[in-house]
Amino acid sequence: MTGVYPEPAADDIPVNTAAEASIGAGQRAIFTFTATQRVHEGFRLPILAASKRSQSSYEILLDGDRVYGPSPIPPTDIDDLAVCWVPAHEFQQEIVVKISNLSDTERRYTVQPVGFERVGGDEDGT
């Protein structure tokens, strides 16, 4: 992953998944992504992208700790997938993304976390 620190090691497991939902006017959706591996040394999250829509609010929690928002823009747009955090955020089990549609019409949103699951090595990726 270009521009990611710490860089993933060869045996780390890539995480790249997407979810989407239609959110009604004045409503909120909560997207939850959880660990699938039972044995790991945590996750690194350098990128979290979402559909960028005006009149919206974005909030991100990692293991229950707010790391972003509430904000009127996502960390990066789903069409860009740019690195958001250097060093990458670290967490153990769960990503929660809360998106509120503050407009007066229903809209579709996509959320895509991109990172890796650390399965061995030290903090510098070796």
Side-chain angles (χ1 to χ4, degrees):
M1 297 178 121
T2 304
V4 173
Y5 177 80
E7 291 185 7
D11 58 346
D12 289 341
I13 300 169
V15 174
N16 185 344
T17 189
E20 64 181 2
S22 290
I23 305 175
Q27 300 296 309
R28 177 171 77 174
I30 299 175
F31 300 84
T32 303
F33 303 90
T34 57
T36 57
Q37 303 294 317
R38 293 195 177 272
V39 178
H40 62 84
E41 295 181 17
F43 293 90
R44 304 301 183 270
L45 183 69
I47 302 168
L48 194 139
S51 302
K52 184 178 178 182
R53 306 255 189 266
S54 63
Q55 297 179 311
S56 298
S57 178
Y58 303 84
E59 184 177 0
I60 296 142
L61 295 92
L62 301 178
D63 292 337
D65 295 325
R66 183 182 314 145
V67 297
Y68 187 84
S71 174
I73 60 170
T76 191
D77 191 301
I78 201 83
D79 294 326
D80 296 334
L81 285 180
V83 171
C84 307
W85 297 293
V86 177
H89 277 297
E90 298 179 27
F91 67 101
Q92 292 297 313
Q93 294 296 318
E94 183 178 73
I95 303 168
V96 174
V97 179
K98 299 177 183 180
I99 299 179
S100 297
N101 176 5
L102 306 175
S103 77
D104 58 0
T105 60
E106 182 174 300
R107 297 190 281 187
R108 192 149 193 82
Y109 291 83
T110 302
V111 174
Q112 184 178 10
V114 179
F116 57 98
E117 184 174 353
R118 178 78 76 200
V119 294
D122 59 24
E123 286 302 306
D124 67 1
T126 59

